[in-house]
């Protein structure tokens, strides 16, 4: 329930998944789409919950040697992307990608906007 609440509040979640080969690491991120209402709430010092929020899911495969550096995305490959409207669609995509929601970590911090 904690992770679902985090998503409703606009917090990004991520999970490490098997990579495409040796020397690689891969992650799937769930990025809740924020709206002007979220921006207003943030400026006022609170977070807005939204059960019908949209989500962007991205599965990326990275070069493990550069992952911890500034240029972590050098050699990165987008394996797949999807968009979901609402929690039911999000659940269906996670099932199709063989991902269990309880494996995702939060809070997930990154400068990557996608």
């Amino acid at each position: 329930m904690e992770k679902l609440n985090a998503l409703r509040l606009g917090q990004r979640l991520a999970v490490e998944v098997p990579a495409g080969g040796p020397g690689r690491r891969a992650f799937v991120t769930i990025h809740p789409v924020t709206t002007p209402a979220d921006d207003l709430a943030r400026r006022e010092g609170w977070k807005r919950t939204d059960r019908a929020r949209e989500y962007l899911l991205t599965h990326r495969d990275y070069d493990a040697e550069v992952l911890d550096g500034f240029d972590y995305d050098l050699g990165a490959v987008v394996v797949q992307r999807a968009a979901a409207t609402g929690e039911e669609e999000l659940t269906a995509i996670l099932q199709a990608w063989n991902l269990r929601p309880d494996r995702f970590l939060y809070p997930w911090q990154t400068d990557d906007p996608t």
Side-chain angles (χ1 to χ4, degrees):
M1 191 62 159
E2 175 185 356
K3 294 174 187 177
L4 183 55
N5 286 333
L7 286 171
R8 290 176 180 164
L9 291 168
Q11 176 67 49
R12 185 179 308 195
L13 302 182
V15 63
E16 187 164 2
V17 296
R24 308 286 296 175
R25 290 181 70 192
F27 300 88
V28 172
T29 57
I30 304 173
H31 179 80
V33 176
T34 56
T35 66
D38 293 304
D39 296 335
L40 177 61
R42 184 181 39 78
R43 286 193 302 272
E44 293 176 352
W46 60 285
K47 290 184 177 184
R48 184 182 78 85
T49 188
D50 186 351
R51 290 176 175 260
R53 193 176 291 279
E54 292 185 39
Y55 303 96
L56 302 176
L57 293 89
T58 307
H59 176 182
R60 288 187 178 90
D61 194 274
Y62 297 90
D63 179 343
E65 288 185 23
V66 298
L67 193 57
D68 292 329
F70 178 73
D71 293 327
Y72 65 90
D73 57 346
L74 287 176
V77 176
V78 174
V79 177
Q80 59 186 344
R81 287 188 180 182
T85 301
E87 296 166 8
E88 191 173 308
E89 247 182 73
L90 174 61
T91 301
I93 292 170
L94 292 176
Q95 288 175 347
W97 289 11
N98 294 314
L99 295 172
R100 292 190 347 250
D102 62 312
R103 291 192 53 223
F104 281 80
L105 301 176
Y106 126 89
W108 182 262
Q109 300 296 325
T110 180
D111 294 330
D112 182 7
T114 57

